[in-house]
């Protein structure tokens, strides 16, 4: 999207290219090496709508205008690029070292391209057991063996908000609780002096329900929510998801995901939402068999079992997608150990409902192409933007994706978790959830559905046209109607709050 960055190098070409010189240049290209599908090539001649290049094999190829040149722009900065090139000379010059790749499909031909500068990571787990289904630590292992999925600690941004909201739901707040989305200023040395947090859009919507605030990812609501909840209360609760609470900041920036976590840590936390409230641990090796066929090692993970809670004895776990582990244990007369419930079924049900709204009507709407009603998740974008995230689940698979530059360069002002990380998540989940039925959490007995006024979060009035339905726990469902006709808060103009 951001344009061609220019050649990797510029070599001096001889006036007359004989066979020996051609082979010497080809050897230099071979020494540069391929990166993924991108092959090095040396531009020899440039015409108006084409150029000729030397490959590392010593062969020459001519790239026509339609082979990746048409429509290409030149990179200026993360927020600027040139007009589309009108001729090949605007893109390449003789002596340029560029990258080519082979096109997909039946018609195989070279295409003008470049090695991506940005990096990414993906981690995908079986939500019930923690079994790793896929782990991608970067673009190309040969060019960088650093594993960004397990080693890169990056700020999760709004990808962390669901953990704050979960703590709130378990401490008296509801999806209909009203929090003000308005400017706020903090004078706090722990936050670097004066702190003026804002929403990504730079706009403010006034009082709004927590459900809407999360699926629209409103930063100011998250900060006020954390302030009302209490930082200590939130941190203690967040520890249930497996995060090291000693590393979490004890200030309000926690609400915006200002601390650094790996994608593996994030996806492990989201597994709690995906499996109904149980803490599981990721594992990579299921078993090791020696040359004689004997099992010398087998995984013994704890496994989420929602059905087991309703029974007094210890029955075998119900069938799951990770049947290979179950079959292996059964063959040895064993059964999986139960995972510990860390979040109540009622609270998880509420959060799952909100996270599904992120995709149905919020910042994750692109995932609607999966056509799965059980798809849920959350985007994440940090200041800059520098880091882009999407974490979510469907069909018992939970996946986190991250993208960013190793050097913490800016992605560009129009790049967000929904535009950078979410497309990767969609491509993976389209394959990972094939042949997996949709999986929905059963509504707990203490969860009720109430018709409410969308502006106040209170009971809707008789015949109110804009009333909506919302889930509540029995003990904090609204009991009073909001008296203002047609709802309230229509002319929001609150001043900036200063603390």
């Amino acid at each position: 999207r951001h344009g061609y960055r220019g050649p990797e190098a510029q070599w001096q070409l001889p006036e007359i290219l004989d066979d020996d010189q051609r082979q010497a240049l080809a050897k230099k290209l071979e020494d540069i090496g391929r990166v993924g599908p991108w092959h090095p090539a040396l531009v020899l001649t440039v015409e108006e709508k084409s150029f000729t290049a030397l490959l590392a094999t010593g062969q020459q190829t001519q790239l026509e205008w339609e082979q990746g040149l048409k429509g290409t722009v030149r990179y200026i900065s993360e927020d600027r690029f040139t007009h589309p090139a009108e001729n090949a000379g605007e893109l390449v010059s003789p002596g340029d070292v560029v990258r080519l790749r082979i096109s997909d499909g039946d018609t195989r031909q070279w295409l003008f391209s470049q090695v991506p500068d940005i990096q990414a990571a993906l981690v995908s787990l079986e939500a019930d057991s923690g079994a790793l289904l896929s782990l991608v630590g970067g673009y190309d292992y040969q060019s960088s063996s650093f594993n960004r999925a397990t080693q890169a600690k990056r700020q999760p941004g709004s990808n962390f908000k669901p953990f704050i909201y979960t703590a709130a739901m378990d401490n008296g707040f509801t999806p209909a609780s009203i929090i003000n989305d308005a400017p706020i200023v903090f004078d706090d040395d722990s936050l670097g002096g004066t702190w003026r947090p804002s929403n990504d859009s730079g706009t403010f919507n006034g009082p709004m329900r927590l459900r809407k605030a999360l699926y629209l990812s409103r930063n100011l609501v998250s900060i006020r929510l954390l302030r009302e909840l209490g930082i200590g209360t939130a941190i203690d609760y967040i520890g249930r998801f497996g995060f090291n609470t000693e590393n979490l900041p004890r200030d309000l920036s926690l609400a915006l995901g200002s601390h650094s976590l790996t994608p593996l840590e994030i996806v492990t936390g989201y597994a709690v939402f995906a499996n109904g409230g149980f803490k599981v641990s990721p594992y990579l090796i299921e078993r090791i068999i020696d040359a004689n066929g004997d099992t010398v090692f087998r995984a013994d993970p704890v496994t989420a079992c929602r059905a087991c809670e309703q029974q007094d004895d210890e029955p075998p776990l119900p069938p799951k997608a990770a049947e290979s582990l179950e079959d292996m244990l059964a063959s040895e007369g064993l059964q999986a150990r139960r995972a510990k419930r860390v979040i109540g079924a009622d609270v998880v049900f509420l959060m799952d409902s909100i996270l599904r709204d992120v995709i149905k009507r919020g910042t994750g709407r692109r995932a609607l192409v999966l056509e799965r009603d059980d798809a849920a998740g959350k985007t994440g974008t940090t200041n800059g933007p520098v880091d882009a995230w999407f974490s979510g689940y469907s069909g018992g698979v939970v996946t986190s994706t991250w993208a960013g530059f190793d050097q913490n360069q800016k992605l560009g002002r129009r790049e967000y978790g929904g535009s950078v990380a979410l497309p990767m998540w969609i491509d993976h989940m389209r394959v990972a959830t094939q042949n997996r039925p949709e999986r929905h959490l059963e509504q707990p007995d203490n969860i009720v559905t109430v018709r409410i006024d969308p502006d106040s979060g209170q009971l809707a009035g008789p015949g109110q046209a804009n009333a909506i339905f919302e889930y509540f726990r029995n003990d904090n469902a609204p009991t009073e109607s909001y008296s203002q006709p047609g709802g309230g808060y229509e002319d929001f103009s609150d001043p900036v709050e200063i603390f």
Side-chain angles (χ1 to χ4, degrees):
R1 284 198 285 275
H2 293 265
Y4 175 56
R5 298 187 305 273
E8 294 186 14
Q10 169 63 223
W11 293 354
Q12 184 68 39
L13 294 178
E15 292 184 8
I16 300 176
L17 189 62
D18 58 31
D19 288 342
D20 289 341
Q21 291 168 327
R22 181 179 289 104
Q23 292 304 317
L25 291 172
K27 179 62 170 62
K28 289 179 67 176
L29 291 172
E30 185 179 358
D31 291 341
I32 290 177
R34 189 178 74 176
V35 177
W38 280 269
H39 298 252
L42 176 63
V43 178
L44 299 179
T45 61
V46 180
E47 305 295 335
E48 182 179 1
K49 297 290 185 178
S50 65
F51 71 87
T52 302
L54 176 70
L55 302 173
T57 60
Q59 297 176 316
Q60 291 183 194
T61 185
Q62 181 165 320
L63 273 79
E64 302 295 339
W65 192 241
E66 301 294 335
Q67 292 175 248
L69 300 173
K70 182 179 179 180
T72 298
V73 299
R74 288 292 297 261
Y75 173 90
I76 297 176
S77 71
E78 70 271 10
D79 293 320
R80 297 180 59 215
F81 48 80
T82 66
H83 59 80
E86 296 180 356
N87 59 72
E90 293 183 26
L91 297 173
V92 297
S93 302
D96 283 357
V97 176
V98 298
R99 293 281 177 170
L100 309 179
R101 67 178 179 88
I102 295 288
S103 64
D104 300 324
D106 297 332
T107 305
R108 310 280 283 177
Q109 59 179 349
W110 289 107
L111 298 177
F112 177 62
S113 190
Q114 65 183 346
V115 177
D117 210 16
I118 196 171
Q119 283 288 349
L122 179 150
V123 189
S124 189
L125 306 177
E126 285 282 0
D128 285 347
S129 67
L132 276 159
L133 298 175
S134 181
L135 189 149
V136 182
Y139 183 71
D140 181 76
Y141 182 83
Q142 297 304 320
S143 58
S144 172
S145 59
F146 181 65
N147 191 334
R148 293 155 190 83
T150 61
Q151 295 175 293
K153 289 186 173 292
R154 308 288 295 224
Q155 291 184 343
S158 297
N159 216 224
F160 195 77
K161 288 178 182 175
F163 306 116
I164 302 289
Y165 275 65
T166 307
M169 295 296 157
D170 214 359
N171 282 274
F173 290 86
T174 76
S177 295
I178 300 296
I179 301 287
N180 202 4
D181 178 28
I184 188 169
V185 176
F186 294 95
D187 189 9
D188 189 337
D189 291 339
S190 67
L191 296 173
T194 301
W195 184 42
R196 293 181 175 86
S198 63
N199 295 315
D200 288 336
S201 63
T203 62
F204 308 96
N205 292 338
M208 63 194 310
R209 291 170 289 116
L210 288 185
R211 173 183 291 274
K212 187 174 183 179
L214 185 56
Y215 73 65
L216 293 181
S217 200
R218 307 303 288 180
N219 291 340
L220 280 304
V221 173
S222 297
I223 292 170
R224 282 185 167 87
L225 176 64
L226 178 58
R227 192 183 69 198
E228 292 189 30
L229 177 63
I231 295 173
T233 299
I235 288 179
D236 289 344
Y237 195 94
I238 289 168
R240 301 184 185 189
F241 292 91
F243 298 111
N244 185 347
T245 56
E246 294 182 1
N247 296 334
L248 299 179
R250 294 188 174 272
D251 56 56
L252 292 175
S253 71
L254 176 69
L256 305 184
S258 64
H259 48 293
S260 297
L261 296 165
T262 67
L264 184 60
E265 290 174 306
I266 288 289
V267 77
T268 304
Y270 271 80
V272 178
F273 298 126
N275 65 30
F278 300 88
K279 176 66 178 67
V280 296
S281 298
Y283 70 97
L284 181 63
I285 299 174
E286 186 172 281
R287 56 177 160 174
I288 300 173
I289 303 172
D290 65 16
N292 298 320
D294 298 324
T295 298
V296 296
F297 168 84
R298 65 170 179 80
D300 187 22
V302 294
T303 307
C305 181
R306 292 167 297 283
C308 298
E309 295 182 312
Q310 302 172 0
Q311 310 198 21
D312 295 328
D313 54 0
E314 297 264 343
L317 295 176
K320 308 185 310 303
E323 291 179 356
S324 56
L325 175 63
E326 291 297 312
D327 293 343
M328 179 187 71
L329 293 171
S331 68
E332 300 178 19
L334 302 170
Q335 65 182 56
R337 295 180 294 127
R338 294 184 187 178
K340 178 183 177 182
R341 175 174 286 284
V342 292
I343 307 297
D346 49 1
V347 174
V348 175
F349 181 86
L350 295 176
M351 288 304 303
D352 173 72
S353 171
I354 299 174
L355 292 175
R356 284 190 286 117
D357 267 359
V358 171
I359 289 176
K360 291 179 179 178
R361 53 181 58 90
T363 56
R365 283 189 299 272
R366 288 190 180 195
L368 289 172
V369 299
L370 295 176
E371 297 182 344
R372 293 186 65 96
D373 190 54
D374 68 335
K378 183 69 185 74
T379 52
T381 309
T382 64
N383 282 345
V386 171
D387 298 281
W389 295 78
F390 191 85
S391 298
Y393 52 90
S394 177
V397 177
V398 55
T399 303
S400 285
T401 54
W402 164 87
F405 292 99
D406 285 341
Q407 297 78 20
N408 287 306
Q409 299 164 241
K410 293 182 179 180
L411 297 172
R413 62 173 174 262
R414 292 179 295 274
E415 302 293 4
Y416 300 93
S419 63
V420 183
L422 178 55
M424 294 189 293
W425 187 89
I426 292 170
D427 287 345
H428 173 76
M429 294 297 281
R430 182 180 284 116
V431 177
T433 58
Q434 281 183 358
N435 303 319
R436 288 178 181 252
E438 291 190 359
R439 197 167 86 166
H440 296 275
L441 298 179
E442 183 178 347
Q443 183 170 336
D445 293 338
N446 68 328
I447 294 292
V448 296
T449 306
V450 178
R451 190 168 171 270
I452 65 168
D453 170 62
D455 294 318
S456 69
Q458 298 298 320
L459 290 176
Q464 184 172 335
N466 68 337
I468 61 174
F469 287 97
E470 183 57 272
Y471 292 115
F472 295 89
R473 292 198 289 182
N474 266 329
D475 55 357
N476 53 18
T479 57
E480 297 180 358
S481 298
Y482 191 63
S483 59
Q484 182 172 331
Y489 310 115
E490 295 177 357
D491 299 316
F492 164 69
S493 57
D494 283 356
V496 175
E497 292 185 66
I498 300 178
F499 296 90

